[in-house]
Amino acid sequence: MKITLQLAAAKLRAADNILVTAHINPDGDAIGSTLAMLQILRTMGKNVVAYIDDKIPKNFTVMPFAEEIRQPREDEKFSADLLVVLDTSPDRIGNVKNLTDAPILNIDHHITNSGDEGDLYVDANAAATCEIIFQLCKELDAEISKNVAVCLYTGLATDTGFFNYSNTRPSTLRAAADLVEAGVEPNLISEQVEIRSFRDIQILSAALQTTKLFYGGKVAGMFIDRELYKQVETTEGLIDLIRVIDGVEVAFLLTEKERDVCRVSMRSKGVEVSSIAKRLGGGGHVRAAGCTINKNLDTSKRLLIRTIGEFMIENGYLRPLDFENREEINLADMTFADE
């Protein structure tokens, strides 16, 4: 059920034992909103723990209290009054869902979140979930400390491409300015988020070599198999390297995290990639979306390319004359080994 921000604040006030989480494959917004919420609720006297069912990328571990984010262990339980799910719908929190049967408060900025589980406050106009948490602080009369500000600013900055993406609104910049006044040093955050080891740069070079163009250059894809994934510290920012290719309308990064589990990130210059992701069980924003495909890398690749092509044909972004090879033209005839 969709609720107001005021009611979300009331539910947080009413709970004493709270478990906070975000989506698997966490980005700066997921981690930043989780850590900010952890600190805010603790200042309110709540007993709070934070879990994310995935590793935290190294360049986000410098955020205050990042060491307190746990990964759930098998058969582990937490006695909670409330499960707070941030930056995603509850079906994307992995094994955290097994930790508690508490009622769910879902806070998100993704338009594809339907609110099927628990109470949902969603603001699809917000640039990031961290922007919503910033607003929530005012509802809760919570002071924004420097540590909270650092977490919120990191989420805002990374989800807007450091305020370059189209989701950057006047309210986003006003929030960022307030966070800077609270003690954030933007240059330090950008340096930390963008830092890469020499090994990562070498791996980046290998990843770029996998980039291919499809549909007459209107779609670009990068592919990271399991062996390469084991070596990379983070895939954050990789998709932006191909998103800027001249003529590309949709860019995607397909990562084989483990056998028969492939993660997809998509970006566009106008194509509604959230609808493409939704067809594959995911969601997101008009120009930034993702999903998980539970198939091997080769099958996932063909399924993803076909789905992108079908959507773009249906919505007038592609014509058969744009296709460069028979595989792209005969989308409907493509078959998969495990279907």
Side-chain angles (χ1 to χ4, degrees):
M1 180 179 72
K2 291 186 178 180
I3 61 174
T4 63
L5 187 64
Q6 292 74 23
L7 185 52
K11 288 182 176 295
L12 290 170
R13 288 193 191 97
D16 293 318
N17 300 293
I18 302 173
L19 194 160
V20 182
T21 191
H23 54 80
I24 56 176
N25 195 25
D27 56 10
D29 191 27
I31 299 164
S33 58
T34 297
L35 291 174
M37 183 66 84
L38 175 77
Q39 296 171 70
I40 292 163
L41 293 173
R42 283 183 176 173
T43 63
M44 295 170 62
K46 310 295 184 181
N47 177 33
V48 192
V49 294
Y51 283 83
I52 292 179
D53 191 16
D54 216 331
K55 66 179 182 179
I56 305 301
K58 184 178 179 180
N59 47 350
F60 292 126
T61 59
V62 295
M63 277 192 270
F65 297 92
E67 71 280 358
E68 293 211 26
I69 296 180
R70 315 175 193 177
Q71 280 190 265
R73 301 189 306 271
E74 190 175 352
D75 299 326
E76 187 178 6
K77 297 292 181 184
F78 179 76
S79 180
D81 305 319
L82 192 65
L83 171 61
V84 179
V85 177
L86 301 172
D87 200 38
T88 187
S89 54
D91 61 340
R92 292 196 63 229
I93 62 174
N95 292 321
V96 173
K97 207 167 185 181
N98 301 326
L99 291 172
T100 181
D101 295 323
I104 295 172
L105 172 60
N106 190 189
I107 299 174
D108 195 11
H109 71 127
H110 294 99
I111 195 170
T112 51
N113 193 332
S114 60
D116 292 336
E117 294 185 71
D119 294 312
L120 169 67
Y121 176 73
V122 60
D123 180 0
N125 291 317
T129 298
C130 279
E131 185 174 344
I132 299 175
I133 304 303
F134 175 79
Q135 297 163 357
L136 187 61
C137 283
K138 298 178 180 179
E139 288 294 330
L140 293 168
D141 293 321
E143 180 185 354
I144 298 180
S145 66
K146 180 179 179 179
N147 283 343
V148 169
V150 166
C151 296
L152 293 178
Y153 185 93
T154 301
L156 273 181
T158 53
D159 248 30
T160 58
F162 286 88
F163 311 104
N164 283 322
Y165 297 162
S166 62
N167 60 340
T168 304
R169 305 180 303 161
S171 62
T172 312
L173 296 173
R174 291 189 191 101
D178 286 350
L179 296 172
V180 171
E181 285 189 342
V184 169
E185 298 176 82
N187 61 306
L188 298 183
I189 290 177
S190 64
E191 287 168 10
Q192 184 58 48
V193 170
E194 294 170 352
I195 197 168
R196 295 288 186 271
S197 68
F198 178 63
R199 178 60 181 153
D200 273 351
I201 295 300
Q202 291 178 310
I203 293 169
L204 170 61
S205 175
L208 282 170
Q209 294 301 314
T210 71
T211 303
K212 295 187 182 301
L213 296 178
F214 305 92
Y215 304 121
K218 292 189 176 183
V219 176
M222 183 186 293
F223 307 91
I224 297 180
D225 61 21
R226 267 180 298 158
E227 291 307 310
L228 195 55
Y229 179 73
K230 289 176 185 176
Q231 302 174 61
V232 72
E233 178 62 38
T234 178
T235 59
E236 186 78 18
L238 287 182
I239 194 169
D240 292 319
L241 298 174
I242 61 173
R243 180 182 62 86
V244 297
I245 296 173
D246 187 26
V248 167
E249 296 294 330
V250 174
F252 68 82
L253 172 65
L254 181 61
T255 304
E256 184 185 30
K257 186 186 177 187
E258 54 190 83
R259 187 181 299 277
D260 294 336
V261 178
C262 292
R263 287 180 178 166
V264 178
S265 294
M266 286 182 281
R267 299 289 185 272
S268 81
K269 296 172 182 173
V271 177
E272 193 174 326
V273 289
S274 58
S275 293
I276 298 172
K278 196 169 183 179
R279 294 185 182 191
L280 295 167
H285 306 286
V286 171
R287 298 188 181 187
C291 61
T292 298
I293 302 176
N294 294 313
K295 298 180 183 292
N296 63 47
L297 182 61
D298 184 60
T299 300
S300 296
K301 172 183 174 181
R302 289 181 287 135
L303 176 59
L304 177 61
I305 294 167
R306 183 179 72 179
T307 304
I308 292 172
E310 287 173 341
F311 179 84
M312 293 181 74
I313 289 171
E314 291 167 11
N315 291 276
Y317 295 103
L318 286 177
R319 303 168 301 159
L321 291 178
D322 295 322
F323 301 176
E324 292 183 335
N325 60 58
R326 185 174 179 82
E327 179 184 21
E328 293 172 347
I329 295 172
N330 295 325
L331 292 172
D333 296 332
M334 294 175 72
T335 58
F336 305 94
D338 53 355
E339 284 188 341

